[in-house]
Amino acid sequence: MDRLLHLDRTLDELDPPRWMPPDPDATHLVRTVHELRCVPLGELGSADLRILVSQQVALPYVLPLAVRLLIEEPLLEAYFYEGDLLLAAVRAPGWAWALLPELGARLRTVITALPETAVAGLPRGAAQELARFVGGPVPPRDTTEEHPAVPL
């Protein structure tokens, strides 16, 4: 987790080149990501990390911060729902996790320790995404909502 040594620096400093200011007609999300690149890493909150990870911004710097939070509270609600930061992290591309193999292993350990009931409470499809990340067998999907039985 040596990337955590730079908590007083911003992504614009650590992940060059610095981004130009967003266009005046940029979306709220784009403006937010640009703003977050100017915040020192140590000041980024869980919701900020969820945004940056979801948008795949400077993953070698933000994934270690996210994993640090997830080790303490795997189902942390970062803004939308319980476990949203965890799902954002496991959806990060493989190349990012290849750069951080120890962190990936630690997150896999955290995920495998989650009780089945906790995973069942996550949004539909989350169990499959967690299983894919861990590399284990993928639980069967519940298709009753997608294809309800039609009475004859």
Side-chain angles (χ1 to χ4, degrees):
M1 290 206 194
D2 60 334
R3 287 173 171 78
L4 297 180
L5 298 176
H6 304 293
L7 295 177
D8 60 331
R9 299 180 63 197
T10 69
L11 291 175
D12 266 354
E13 294 172 312
L14 296 168
D15 184 48
R18 287 181 186 264
W19 288 11
M20 300 298 296
D23 291 334
D25 62 343
T27 65
H28 176 70
L29 177 60
V30 169
R31 288 191 310 273
T32 299
V33 170
H34 278 259
E35 290 168 8
L36 291 175
R37 284 188 56 88
C38 298
V39 174
L41 293 181
E43 295 177 21
L44 293 172
S46 60
D48 303 328
L49 293 171
R50 185 197 51 77
I51 290 170
L52 292 167
V53 170
S54 296
Q55 297 302 307
Q56 300 182 13
V57 175
L59 290 175
Y61 295 99
V62 297
L63 276 175
L65 296 170
V67 171
R68 183 172 69 169
L69 293 176
L70 293 169
I71 288 170
E72 296 297 318
E73 189 177 347
L75 299 178
L76 172 72
E77 180 179 331
Y79 185 77
F80 289 116
Y81 52 85
E82 187 177 54
D84 57 356
L85 180 59
L86 176 61
L87 290 175
V90 301
R91 290 175 182 146
W95 64 261
W97 288 111
L99 295 173
L100 305 163
E102 305 86 21
L103 284 178
R106 290 183 74 185
L107 188 57
R108 285 177 184 85
T109 301
V110 167
I111 291 169
T112 57
L114 287 174
E116 230 176 272
T117 55
V119 174
L122 296 174
R124 187 171 57 180
Q128 289 82 6
E129 291 188 64
L130 295 175
R132 178 198 50 79
F133 182 79
V134 170
V138 177
R141 290 183 29 196
D142 178 11
T143 58
T144 55
E145 288 184 30
E146 295 172 349
H147 305 289
V150 178
L152 299 175

